[in-house]
Amino acid sequence: MSNFNSADIAAFKDVWVFCEQREGKLMPTDFELISKGRDLANELGVNLCGLLLGGEGIEATAKELGGYGADKVYVCESPMLSVYNTDAYAKVICDVIEELKPEAFLIGATNIGRDLAPRCAARLHTGLCADCTHLDIDVANYIQFLREASTLDVDGQKWDMEDRNLKMTRPAFGGHLMATIICPRFRPCMATVRPGVMKKNPFDQAKADACVIEKPAFTLTNADVKTEVTEVVKAAKKLVDLIGADFIVSVGRGISKDVEGGIKLAEELAAELGGVVGGSRATIDSGWLSADHQVGQTGKTVHPKVYVALGISGAIQHKAGMQDSECIIAVNKNDTAPIFEIADYGICGDLFKVTPLLTEAIRAAKAAK
Amino acid sequence: MKIIVSIKQVPDTSGKVAVNPDGTLNRASMQTITNPDDMNALEAALKMKDATGCKVVVVTMGPPPAAGMLREALAMGADEAVLVSAREFGGSDTYATSQILAAAVNRIGVEADDIVMCGRQAIDGDTAQVGPQMAEKLHLPQITYAADITKDGNTVTVKRMLEDGYMTIKTNTPCLITCIKELNEPRYMSVSGVFEAYGKPLVTFGYDDLKDDPLIDATTIGLKGSPTNIFKSFTPPQKGAGMMLEGADKATCEKLAGILAAKHII
């Protein structure tokens, strides 16, 4: 096992995406990663393949992945794979990878993906980059990305335009720095990819119909599995869907003098906009909002049409999760709050006074249309 | 029975973060703290010690000043501390780090009744990779995102959080668990704990102490042995400031709503 990667890296082909399912249903992240994987496979001139593990019958869901760009889906079915289990999944995935040798392997950075990917990378003796927000093969594309997303002097640097390594970019130090990671000596090059960041392709039924399903051989016995999942419990409360929302009204420490009142005002504005309520890390750490509301480096990355920041100072941790919103509106008492540096529209004032006025003004403006 | 807790000293990214002109982090100007999730791992271990009298060993890889953090862990109640530190280990990515830490854990020794605990992820890199990679290198079952841990004999039962709920997972010791902040509220150092900390063993494992472990190989540790390399690092540009509206009254809000309507944003 340890010298698995002593093989010639040129023997590794194709881009693979791990397609996570829960309760037999594909995850939204799968379609995002298949869509991005399609671009990478095109740049490399190779196939894009999904890898789908699940219980008996999971094959029926596989063709849908073709509709977003997969040429082929490898399906591994077993009753032992119906519910995610680190040992069982790592065993099957590593065996199939050693047999079929993909060049790049993308995994959604969900709580499950981030459990699975490092276990597999350690077994396969290859590199893994965590929670990526941008991926490139072509150097020209990467340079263009740097022009838009960095302060680097890209023209003052030497570039090897033939470089075919997967360039995996991710935030570090709470978003203060960005790093692009490569894995030049080992394959597959592995990355977990942050949910909600990659854009999903439009679904194409003809491509779904043309998608090839293959069932690679694998062995999996009870001896391979040292952990037992005794129950899977869904949260009773419906979780807020920040990633899918077009309008987000987030609150921060500024609501501290009246937490319930502040959240209520945010909910009213969100309801008027047809959106949802989010929060900064402070509001989650203080227990004012549940963790599913958190926007930021350690929460969710969002890019809604409108992001309203109420009483959020704009720590870089928070900005990392929302600065790509199409329109940012900030309300803060402190006119030097960093949030104003990235806001499209800023109002310096008390959120408890401004928010209801804004809700009313938006209601009136919509009615007047 | 003992619990080995892997902890890390990190720059406090929640405070002021200084970036050098070349885009690297100015670590010298920043406060360091024990990584928050690691504090939850340590607290979980100390709770088990309170209940069973088991031994708690903390281990970290880092430069010599990380010994200060280990003393704090001893003052909180850990029994022994190990600093893994050598020039050869510098520049390691998560894969190489997990090999070195696994070798250190091997040297401490994992017995049938033992648990290895880590924080879920460190706030400097946010990778959440070293725990599972260590588990693989140690051939231990792993349970990540632990929000509740109970141990009954050799059976460990963990509430493992998902984005939309949780799983209950059972395994046997020895095993590795990564901990999240929902697990507990870390305790403070006590005054007597601070005094006692200086009488407790704190040893350093250098390269020579670990080099005979099959995991330690010049081709798999340090900067040169790491499978991943940094290709570029950079700072994101500041998005240009937009329009600061005058006032904060009804007219201000009406003006903003008017702009949004005119731009078909609402």
Side-chain angles (χ1 to χ4, degrees):
Chain A
M1 182 74 74
S2 61
N3 62 357
F4 161 58
N5 263 305
S6 61
D8 179 9
I9 64 170
F12 291 76
K13 283 209 165 52
D14 294 348
V15 175
W16 282 22
V17 171
F18 171 69
C19 299
E20 184 184 334
Q21 54 83 20
R22 295 189 192 178
E23 297 176 318
K25 290 195 185 70
L26 296 172
M27 298 281 284
T29 323
D30 299 341
F31 307 126
E32 297 165 13
L33 266 62
I34 289 281
S35 302
K36 184 65 208 177
R38 180 72 263 164
D39 298 342
L40 301 176
N42 289 349
E43 291 180 26
L44 287 164
V46 298
N47 284 320
L48 173 68
C49 308
L51 176 60
L52 174 61
L53 278 61
E56 306 283 352
I58 196 69
E59 181 184 349
T61 63
K63 286 242 175 199
E64 188 180 0
L65 296 161
Y68 296 95
D71 298 303
K72 190 191 277 186
V73 179
Y74 293 107
V75 178
C76 301
E77 290 186 347
S78 159
M80 293 172 74
L81 298 172
S82 63
V83 173
Y84 174 72
N85 177 295
T86 313
D87 292 335
Y89 272 55
K91 166 74 166 62
V92 171
I93 289 170
C94 290
D95 285 0
V96 172
I97 282 181
E98 291 192 18
E99 180 64 29
L100 297 170
K101 297 186 168 46
E103 170 169 4
F105 186 35
L106 311 181
I107 297 170
T110 62
N111 284 18
I112 283 176
R114 297 186 78 174
D115 179 85
L116 175 67
R119 187 91 197 191
C120 291
R123 191 169 304 175
L124 294 167
H125 183 46
T126 192
L128 169 65
C129 183
D131 208 20
C132 299
T133 54
H134 189 88
L135 298 168
D136 281 301
I137 298 284
D138 271 346
V139 177
N141 291 349
Y142 179 66
I143 291 173
Q144 185 56 34
F145 160 67
L146 288 183
R147 280 189 208 286
E148 291 162 12
S150 83
T151 50
L152 282 183
D153 170 23
V154 290
D155 299 310
Q157 309 200 12
K158 281 207 170 71
W159 297 94
D160 170 12
M161 301 306 286
E162 303 302 309
D163 171 19
R164 308 307 284 165
N165 278 304
L166 178 61
K167 288 160 271 294
M168 303 171 278
T169 303
R170 65 182 308 269
F173 296 104
H176 293 270
L177 277 181
M178 300 292 289
T180 302
I181 308 293
I182 52 171
C183 174
R185 295 175 295 127
F186 302 102
R187 295 289 180 269
C189 168
M190 290 178 58
T192 57
V193 182
R194 182 175 293 192
V197 172
M198 302 300 169
K199 293 261 186 319
K200 192 169 80 172
N201 288 336
F203 179 78
D204 181 335
Q205 185 62 49
K207 283 189 187 160
D209 294 339
C211 181
V212 176
I213 308 295
E214 230 177 87
K215 293 181 131 178
F218 64 90
T219 59
L220 180 63
T221 66
N222 285 326
D224 297 317
V225 181
K226 292 186 196 161
T227 54
E228 181 198 354
V229 177
T230 58
E231 61 174 345
V232 182
V233 179
K234 278 252 194 184
K237 183 171 83 69
K238 196 176 175 300
L239 298 176
V240 58
D241 179 18
L242 284 174
I243 286 174
D246 281 337
F247 297 90
I248 297 174
V249 181
S250 280
V251 291
R253 219 184 287 274
I255 63 167
S256 62
K257 74 173 183 190
D258 176 8
V259 171
E260 275 180 36
I263 291 172
K264 186 159 175 289
L265 291 174
E267 283 171 348
E268 285 166 2
L269 178 53
E272 185 55 45
L273 290 165
V276 298
V277 171
S280 68
R281 187 162 81 181
T283 63
I284 277 70
D285 286 351
S286 306
W288 301 341
L289 288 168
S290 56
D292 51 312
H293 291 85
Q294 189 179 343
V295 174
Q297 166 66 7
T298 48
K300 297 206 174 64
T301 301
V302 298
H303 29 69
K305 287 185 182 151
V306 176
Y307 189 91
V308 186
L310 302 175
I312 294 177
S313 64
I316 194 137
Q317 206 282 135
H318 186 76
K319 289 198 277 188
M322 49 63 78
Q323 61 195 0
D324 292 332
S325 303
E326 286 174 35
C327 175
I328 298 169
I329 298 168
V331 180
N332 202 297
K333 276 204 292 203
N334 179 357
D335 65 358
T336 60
I339 193 77
F340 288 128
E341 292 163 14
I342 60 160
D344 296 278
Y345 303 101
I347 296 177
C348 180
D350 179 358
L351 74 93
F352 288 95
K353 290 187 184 128
V354 174
T355 309
L357 293 172
L358 187 57
T359 305
E360 184 49 47
I362 287 173
R363 185 178 298 139
K366 284 168 105 175
K369 276 196 136 181
Chain B
M1 176 193 172
K2 71 174 171 300
I3 301 172
I4 300 170
V5 188
S6 175
I7 64 177
K8 185 181 187 185
Q9 191 173 46
V10 293
D12 184 0
T13 55
S14 67
K16 184 116 180 85
V17 173
V19 178
N20 292 321
D22 64 353
T24 58
L25 205 74
N26 185 349
R27 284 172 182 270
S29 73
M30 292 173 65
Q31 297 268 2
T32 60
I33 54 170
T34 305
N35 180 54
D37 285 350
D38 301 353
M39 292 291 278
N40 298 107
L42 178 55
E43 177 61 30
L46 294 174
K47 276 214 169 72
M48 282 196 187
K49 178 184 171 179
D50 295 342
T52 67
C54 69
K55 188 159 91 172
V56 174
V57 181
V58 284
V59 58
T60 193
M61 182 168 102
M69 172 193 67
L70 292 174
R71 287 282 177 213
E72 289 178 14
L74 294 171
M76 282 172 68
D79 301 289
E80 295 173 17
V82 177
L83 172 65
V84 181
S85 195
R87 197 166 36 83
E88 290 86 343
F89 302 154
S92 292
D93 72 353
T94 66
Y95 181 96
T97 299
S98 71
Q99 302 246 105
I100 299 161
L101 282 171
V105 169
N106 278 334
R107 187 172 166 107
I108 295 164
V110 178
E111 288 162 80
D113 204 18
D114 292 352
I115 301 176
V116 180
M117 288 195 189
C118 309
R120 170 195 51 163
Q121 67 192 50
I123 58 170
D124 51 356
D126 283 319
T127 73
Q129 290 178 180
V130 171
Q133 287 177 320
M134 270 172 81
E136 172 66 19
K137 294 299 172 189
L138 292 164
H139 306 290
L140 295 178
Q142 75 191 43
I143 305 178
T144 54
Y145 294 84
D148 187 53
I149 305 169
T150 53
K151 184 172 181 287
D152 182 14
N154 275 5
T155 305
V156 176
T157 307
V158 175
K159 180 180 181 183
R160 192 260 188 225
M161 297 312 291
L162 297 170
E163 293 86 343
D164 56 353
Y166 66 91
M167 287 175 166
T168 304
I169 304 181
K170 272 188 163 57
T171 193
N172 291 325
T173 57
C175 62
L176 183 145
I177 299 171
T178 79
C179 303
I180 58 176
K181 67 170 183 277
E182 287 80 357
L183 180 59
N184 53 43
E185 195 66 47
R187 67 191 64 187
Y188 293 99
M189 295 177 272
S190 65
V191 174
S192 61
V194 173
F195 280 110
E196 285 165 18
Y198 285 86
K200 291 177 176 175
L202 192 165
V203 299
T204 300
F205 290 173
Y207 178 74
D208 285 341
D209 299 304
L210 299 180
K211 71 177 191 317
D212 294 333
D213 191 298
L215 292 170
I216 301 298
D217 175 328
T219 65
T220 58
I221 61 160
L223 188 62
K224 285 199 171 139
S226 293
T228 62
N229 309 128
I230 296 175
F231 182 60
K232 298 277 174 209
S233 74
F234 54 91
T235 46
Q238 286 282 340
K239 186 181 163 180
M243 183 197 293
M244 208 61 196
L245 296 162
E246 271 182 44
D249 53 13
K250 189 159 181 270
T252 313
C253 293
E254 282 170 354
K255 184 179 177 198
L256 176 54
I259 295 170
L260 297 177
K263 291 193 168 186
H264 304 290
I265 294 170
I266 57 169

